[in-house]
Every structure is written in C-alpha cells, then in structure tokens.
Amino acid sequence: MRLDKIATIAWHEYVVNVRRIGFIFVTLLFPALGLLGLIAAGFFSGQMLSLARSQFVPPAKPAGIVDDSRLFTPIASVFAKGFVAFDDEESAKRALLAEKIRAYYVIASDYLATGQVTAYTENIISGSASTESGDLRTFLVNGLLTGKVNDATLTRATNPIKLDLVTLDSKGNRQGGGSFSFIAGFVAPYIFSILLFVSVFAASGYLLRSVSEEKESRVIEIILSSVSPTELLAGKVIGLGALGLTQVIVWLGSGFLLSGGIGALVAGAVVLLNPGSFVVAALYFLLGYLLYGSLMAAAGSLGTSMRESQQIAGLFTFCAVIPWFFYGVLLANPNALLPRVLSFFPLTAPTMMMLRLPMSEVPLIDIIGSLVVLLISIPIALWAGARVFRMGLLMYGKRPAVKEIWRALRNA
Amino acid sequence: MAEYAIQVEDLRKVYGDVIAVDQLDFQVGRGEIFGMLGPNGAGKTTTIRVLMDILKADAGTVRVLGGAPGAARERVGYLPEERGLYRGLRLDETLVYLGRLKGMSVASARKRAAALLEQVGLAEWSRKKAQDLSRGMHQKLQIVASIIHDPALVILDEPFQGLDPVNSEVVKDLIRDLRAHGKTIVLSAHEMSRVEALCERILLIHHGRAVLYGALADIKKQFAPNAIEIAPPLDWQGWAEVARVEARDRKQVVYLQPHIAPRDFLKRILEQGLFVEQFALATMPLEQIFVTVVKGE
C-alpha cells in the first residue's frame, strides 16, 4: 500500500468536497441560524417576552379561598395579592365566572385530618397546575405554622430543599459539584457525543456520495488503473473523515463564539473533568467512523445510482440509530442488559457507547470488550468493503445480487 | 529488460458460471502497436482489466512490463471502455490529479498537461470544467489523461468510440506519435479499418479464446483469396480462368478459379497484349476476415 497515493487521494477528496456549494451551505447553516437567533434576541427580546407572556402566561388574578376549616382566614397580608377569601362557594363561583379570580379552592372543614382541598377553575392551562399547587402549598404551610414556629423554621418549612448534586467516583472521591458539574459532566458530554455521531455520519455520507458519483461518472476505472481499491478506499476514508471533522469544528467554533466563550469553558471542563471519557469517546468516534466509512463506501459501490446507494446504506444507518430507540432504557439504567448487549454488537457499539459514557460509570469490561469487538470488526469490514468495492465499482447499470457479493467475498 | 511488454499464458477468468476468458496466450512486443479485436462480450475488456490489475485472474500467468499486473502501474497508461471524468473539475485540475496518482510531481504534471492539451487542440479549454466540453473533446481529454504520465505501455480500449473523422485522425496521429517515441500500444477497437491502419500485430478473441493471433500481414496473406486487383477494368467475358469479378473504385477484383495461379494469369494477360496499369494480389479486408472467423467459429 502506497502512503503517498493515499495522501494524494485524501487531499483531493478534501479539497474538491470542501468547496462544494452544498457542503459550504450545510456547514454555515448552523452558525448562521445561531447568529440570526442572537440578533433576533437582541433586537426583539423585550417584545418577544411580552408576546410570549401574553400568549402563555395567564393574567395575574388572585385565587379564591373558601375556608371551611377556619384555619387559614383571615388571609395573611403577605398572601393578599395572590389569594382572596370568600364566605361561601356560591360567591366564589360568581367571582370566577365574572373572571375576577383565576380559580377558587374549597378547604374542607376536616382539612387537618384529611388534607382535602378542591380546586375550581374554568379552564385548565397546561403546566399551570404545578405552579398553582406550589403557591397553594406555600399558602397552606404558612397558614398552619404561623405563630407556632419561629420565622427561620417557617421559611425552611415552605422552602425545605436547596439541592446540591455531588458525584462520587468508584473510590468515593468527589468529582465536583453544582450545576456546572452537571453541565460539564452530563449535558456537555452528551451534546459532544451527538456531535461526534453527526460527524461520523456526515463523513460517511460524503464517502457514500463520492464513491457513488465516481461510479456513476465512470471515472472510477481510470482511478483504479493508478491505485489499488484498498488505497482508494483508505484515501477516501481519510479525506472525507477530515471533511466531516472540519464541519464539526466549524459548528463547535461558532458555538463557542456565539456563546461568548461559555461553550469553550464547558468544553474545557469536559476534557479536564473527564479526561478518560474524552479519550474513550474519541476512540469510539475514530473506530466508529472507520467501520461505518468502510461499509458506506462498499454500499456506494453497489448502487447503480446515488439514490440506490443511499437505500443500501440506509441499512447501516438504521443499525447505528438503534441505540437511540432505547434511550428510555438508557436513562433509567445505562448499564442494563440491553444497552450492554448492544455495546458488543459492532454496528451498534460506537453509538451505544457514545451514549452510555456520559450517563454513568460504564464497567471497564464493557469498554474493553466493545473496543476489542470494533478492532476485530474494522479490518474485516475494510477487507470485505474493499472486495465488494472492487466488484461493485465495475458493475455499471446493474446492482449485484447477494449471490454475487457473496462470491466476491468468498473468492477474494 | 524483458523482451515483451506483455506476456499472457493460459489466462482464465470466470464470473460465476460464465467463462469470460479461457486458455488465452499472447505476447505484445515492446514498441509495437498491438490490436486486440473481438465481438462484444468476447473477453477483451476482461483481459485488459486483468492486465491493469483491476480484476484478478483465476488461472494463468500475466506479466506486464516484466512484473506482475499492478507492479508497474506508474508506467502503464489506460483508457477504459467505460470512461468518464470529474465533470465539475477543471481540465488542468483533473490531469494534475491523475498525474499525481501516477507518481508525478504537481509541476511536471502541470507542464505535461499543458503540452498534451496543446497537441490535441484543447489548450484554450484547460481552465474550463469537463462538463463544458463536447463529446469529442471529452474523448480527447480522456486519451490525454491516459498518457499524462508518459507511460511506456498504453492500453486503449475503444479509443475511437464517439469521435468524428477529424478527431479520429487527431487520435491516430497521437498514437503514431507515441509509437514513434518508443511506446508500446495495445488497442482494442471495433473499427477494423483503424486497427488495420495502425496495428502491426493483432489478437482476435472470440468466446474468451484466441482465434487469430500474429502479424497482420501474415494473417491477411493467410486469408487472401485467389484474386487479383487489376486497373484499369477489363472485359473478362470468355476467360475460363476467371470465376467472378467485383468492381472496386476504379479497379476490379478478379477472382480466379482455384487451380489457376496468379503468375499464370498474368502470363496469359501479357500474351493477349492487354494494357494493364496495376496488377496486384488482392487481400481480404480485416473486417471481412473478422466476420469470416467469428461466423466460422
């Protein structure tokens, strides 16, 4: 295998594709949208906010209280803006229908024993129920405890939790704390893994298109007279992989710039807080791309047109997306049996592990096992891909049958 | 230095149940123009692809420029039958890239590309994209692409396909020029007249096997009919030696009875005192030899 030829092909693929209108458009689309969003936010933030409020937030009307328990009336002055007392349900209902109050609550006479409160409202606004119950809860706790406990206890009883999340590693050492830790330890790696995933498939897509176009334009046989199929495949995989990375770097770079450096800070924290995970994620990225890239190139050589090649390649994309179908299982337990099994299957391993890594501490055996599976699968995929590639490239106007593909692999 | 540019012995290539090439033997000498002929599906392209290491032989020995196929890729130029170029790339970019793949430096590829484009009349188009070219221009560009690296051996599969007579002459001149510079050329073509005009030796493949192989002159002699080309045309009424007569341009092809030797026929003409400007042994056109052999198989 000649490295200089591989480098020439890689460079050619990169340079030719990086200046395509389609590539430039897609690469700049996300930064442009982000910039547009920022400009829009800058110019219209005040108006937009009031518009949103007018659409989604109900007018600030008080709620009615019909206190049959006699525990909460008269209403304390601190709640006077939010709650109005009514002597009976009938007068409260009239006020509601006249839109003077947003709802009214009937507190049962045996409230202390049962906790029974009935809420009446004209329309249920999605998402407002929890807010309502939160306000009412504060009102009730306050009513029950005022004068019986000191102010500090009363404050704590109405607002009992200020949660700080601290993650410990397997040795019991603190890994950091606070919401920044949550972002750096979970959200950012998760976004990072999505970006890697997008990058792998963007590059594989370019590979598929490049092979398919060269076959369709009949230029492939001229190229194959100068280089071996393996050299051609390797050059394309490297060149178009670099192209996919370029796209991700532009997206990340613009994200950092548009976020005013916060993105860079978080990304830096990701690397510093989880250097191991970062290295492993990068490994999965590389191995995943090599695996999918080889298979995509083979798929590109099999179709008689770009559309047909995409249909064939869809099978591999589907396999890679399977882990996302089980996202619910992953959230509940990233180390459950199903995610673990899919981590050892070559076509799902890169995606599954990229998803699992930020979620929890993945058992070492899973990491080593899936990496070994990929390291074994990649040479097989490259070998098979190059053979199918060699056969498929020379079949014009006809898609090879499964029997012919099998024969190409067997006779190689 | 090996005596032959190409040596093929007992080559066999099979696609599933179909035998594409079988027991094929031939050699191509260095510096000659060699014609590879055969009807569609005869096995020419498969043989060429094996020579180019694009396909692997199932059996037999193949040597190209003294080595295994693929070992001398940088010294072999190839124009495939199924061909095309990057439509969105400029001519000079395409040629430099293909030159780089053949081991040339960017500077030398650029210089050679300019010279070749000039030679085939495409110099003004060098910075245009391939998609802007006419079909004939495309053909010429592809031939230029196959020789950009100044190869010792050039394999051209149907180089005249899609060319008008003027451009065919340009390509013929190019091939003759390559030959004059000591290059070996293997030509696969359907146009027999062009093969006849260019090649010194030929190989006719049919059903994957060699059915005719050798020097073109010898083959033509072997297939020569017992006939004489005579000018000006004469009246052969009552001549028992003459089997039939065919008019050809301003000449006649006089087919003699099988037992009559041309020498005796000439003697008889002279005895009769007839005026003859030209008297030559008639040969069978290659196309007719081709049809005769293929139909006779």
Side-chain angles (χ1 to χ4, degrees):
Chain A
M1 201 143 66
R2 291 269 303 267
L3 293 179
D4 58 332
K5 289 192 176 184
I6 294 173
T8 302
I9 294 166
W11 178 245
H12 171 81
E13 291 293 340
Y14 184 85
V15 168
V16 167
N17 286 290
V18 84
R19 61 191 193 196
R20 277 178 195 262
I21 299 291
F23 176 82
I24 295 169
F25 178 76
V26 173
T27 307
L28 297 182
L29 181 67
F30 290 105
L33 285 176
L35 194 62
L36 211 64
L38 273 184
I39 292 168
F43 275 110
F44 306 112
S45 55
Q47 291 93 322
M48 290 296 284
L49 203 61
S50 56
L51 180 69
R53 276 205 181 124
S54 68
Q55 294 299 310
F56 301 109
V57 180
K61 291 178 193 168
I65 296 288
V66 181
D67 182 17
D68 291 342
S69 69
R70 303 291 167 203
L71 290 169
F72 304 97
T73 43
I75 289 169
S77 60
V78 69
F79 292 106
K81 276 188 178 176
F83 296 93
V84 181
F86 288 91
D87 293 336
D88 50 50
E89 273 191 64
E90 207 46 46
S91 55
K93 189 194 280 182
R94 275 200 302 276
L96 178 69
L97 295 176
E99 297 185 354
K100 288 180 181 165
I101 54 173
R102 64 176 189 270
Y104 67 89
Y105 302 104
V106 178
I107 302 170
S109 54
D110 57 351
Y111 168 78
L112 210 53
T114 62
Q116 182 64 49
V117 175
T118 308
Y120 293 86
T121 178
E122 272 193 306
N123 45 30
I124 298 165
I125 299 166
S126 171
S128 66
S130 60
T131 314
E132 284 288 348
S133 72
D135 289 350
L136 185 63
R137 181 190 176 86
T138 308
F139 171 78
L140 294 173
V141 169
N142 205 76
L144 288 170
L145 298 181
T146 301
K148 293 169 190 164
V149 294
N150 60 31
D151 285 352
T153 309
L154 182 61
T155 306
R156 197 48 54 236
T158 51
N159 187 12
I161 304 169
K162 188 186 170 196
L163 190 66
D164 263 343
L165 188 66
V166 177
T167 314
L168 300 179
D169 63 17
S170 57
K171 291 174 186 162
N173 299 319
R174 282 172 74 105
Q175 287 191 309
S179 51
F180 183 79
S181 167
F182 177 69
I183 292 169
F186 178 74
V187 178
Y190 185 68
I191 292 170
F192 189 59
S193 70
I194 291 174
L195 271 174
L196 289 181
F197 179 81
V198 170
S199 159
V200 164
F201 277 90
S204 301
Y206 295 130
L207 194 57
L208 176 78
R209 192 176 63 183
S210 166
V211 172
S212 182
E213 277 180 359
E214 282 191 351
K215 186 181 172 185
E216 230 174 323
S217 69
R218 307 286 198 265
V219 76
I220 202 81
E221 204 167 335
I222 295 173
I223 304 294
L224 286 179
S225 71
S226 304
V227 298
S228 69
T230 316
E231 285 166 343
L232 181 59
L233 193 62
K236 280 182 180 294
V237 166
I238 294 168
L240 297 170
L243 191 74
L245 267 182
T246 303
Q247 200 163 48
V248 170
I249 287 168
V250 171
W251 290 344
L252 283 175
S254 58
F256 294 161
L257 287 175
L258 293 173
S259 67
I262 295 169
L265 199 66
V266 172
V270 170
V271 179
L272 289 174
L273 286 172
N274 306 299
S277 294
F278 179 76
V279 170
V280 174
L283 256 178
Y284 281 111
F285 165 70
L286 183 69
L287 297 178
Y289 173 64
L290 284 175
L291 181 73
Y292 295 126
S294 315
L295 296 172
M296 291 288 190
S301 72
L302 289 176
T304 55
S305 63
M306 177 71 186
R307 182 177 289 183
E308 205 174 274
S309 297
Q310 278 173 331
Q311 285 168 355
I312 300 167
L315 182 73
F316 303 121
T317 313
F318 176 76
C319 286
V321 172
I322 285 175
W324 294 84
F325 298 158
F326 302 106
Y327 191 63
V329 178
L330 271 173
L331 275 180
N333 182 6
N335 294 328
L337 183 64
L338 184 66
R340 292 192 72 185
V341 168
L342 291 177
S343 302
F344 287 89
F345 180 60
L347 287 176
T348 50
T351 328
M352 182 50 91
M353 289 305 287
M354 277 189 204
L355 283 173
R356 283 178 69 194
L357 279 171
M359 287 185 174
S360 74
E361 196 168 330
V362 177
L364 194 61
I365 184 73
D366 290 18
I367 295 173
I368 293 172
S370 58
L371 285 176
V372 168
V373 164
L374 284 173
L375 285 170
I376 293 170
S377 309
I378 287 163
I380 296 171
L382 276 170
W383 173 85
R387 262 118 200 108
V388 171
F389 190 63
R390 183 194 280 265
M391 176 206 61
L393 287 176
L394 300 174
M395 294 185 88
Y396 301 111
K398 177 187 172 242
R399 193 166 69 183
V402 176
K403 199 170 78 176
E404 287 168 306
I405 297 170
W406 172 243
R407 194 184 299 133
L409 293 175
R410 204 184 50 190
N411 293 341
Chain B
M1 195 175 177
E3 188 186 347
Y4 295 112
I6 295 172
Q7 276 180 287
V8 174
E9 282 171 29
D10 207 16
L11 175 66
R12 183 179 167 86
K13 178 69 192 172
V14 179
Y15 299 112
D17 305 328
V18 180
I19 299 169
V21 178
D22 194 24
Q23 296 177 356
L24 189 64
D25 293 280
F26 69 93
Q27 287 90 36
V28 179
R30 286 182 186 262
E32 74 170 327
I33 303 180
F34 185 83
M36 200 182 276
L37 313 173
N40 289 332
K44 303 186 300 286
T45 298
T46 296
T47 306
I48 289 174
R49 283 176 175 171
V50 170
L51 295 175
M52 292 308 305
D53 195 37
I54 293 170
L55 293 176
K56 299 285 181 194
D58 292 319
T61 310
V62 178
R63 310 282 293 168
V64 178
L65 295 176
R73 274 201 176 97
E74 290 175 0
R75 293 166 58 214
V76 183
Y78 176 46
L79 176 75
E81 186 185 12
E82 291 280 359
R83 53 187 172 245
L85 287 169
Y86 297 104
R87 295 180 57 76
L89 276 194
R90 293 199 323 251
L91 272 57
D92 55 349
E93 287 176 324
T94 301
L95 292 174
V96 168
Y97 174 54
L98 296 176
R100 295 278 294 130
L101 290 183
K102 291 288 190 182
M104 298 177 86
S105 68
V106 174
S108 56
R110 200 163 277 159
K111 197 174 160 191
R112 171 98 172 142
L116 286 170
L117 288 174
E118 179 76 45
Q119 195 175 346
V120 298
L122 289 176
E124 287 173 21
W125 294 79
S126 71
R127 295 188 71 78
K128 301 266 184 195
K129 289 181 177 175
Q131 65 198 16
D132 300 329
L133 301 184
S134 69
R135 198 175 164 192
M137 287 171 164
H138 236 269
Q139 283 283 92
K140 288 196 286 186
L141 177 64
Q142 280 159 344
I143 293 172
V144 166
S146 68
I147 56 171
I148 182 74
H149 54 301
D150 195 20
L153 167 66
V154 186
I155 299 177
L156 305 171
D157 199 354
E158 299 289 352
F160 303 107
Q161 193 174 275
L163 287 180
D164 59 35
V166 176
N167 281 319
S168 287
E169 280 308 310
V170 173
V171 172
K172 263 162 72 175
D173 288 345
L174 198 68
I175 292 171
R176 287 195 189 103
D177 188 50
L178 287 169
R179 162 73 201 278
H181 283 86
K183 314 296 181 194
T184 307
I185 296 131
V186 175
L187 204 66
S188 162
H190 280 107
E191 295 91 343
M192 299 298 153
S193 57
R194 285 177 181 136
V195 173
E196 214 167 343
L198 287 167
C199 299
E200 288 123 0
R201 294 196 316 125
I202 63 158
L203 166 73
L204 175 59
I205 308 177
H206 191 37
H207 293 317
R209 291 184 179 225
V211 288
L212 262 184
Y213 169 57
L216 187 58
D218 293 343
I219 289 170
K220 292 196 84 169
K221 203 181 283 176
Q222 184 190 330
F223 280 83
N226 192 20
I228 306 297
E229 244 182 41
I230 286 179
L234 295 168
D235 181 11
W236 302 105
Q237 199 84 37
W239 284 63
E241 296 90 336
V242 176
R244 64 188 172 93
V245 178
E246 268 178 20
R248 192 181 286 175
D249 299 331
R250 290 181 181 177
K251 300 174 195 169
Q252 280 176 324
V253 178
V254 180
Y255 289 86
L256 304 177
Q257 297 292 357
H259 60 280
I260 303 295
R263 188 177 44 207
D264 298 336
F265 186 59
L266 177 62
K267 198 175 163 189
R268 172 91 197 281
I269 289 172
L270 294 173
E271 281 168 5
Q272 293 293 316
L274 296 173
F275 173 71
V276 175
E277 216 172 54
Q278 187 187 333
F279 183 97
L281 290 172
T283 54
M284 192 187 272
L286 188 56
E287 192 158 353
Q288 215 172 321
I289 297 174
F290 179 86
V291 173
T292 307
V293 172
V294 168
K295 279 191 174 171
E297 267 282 301

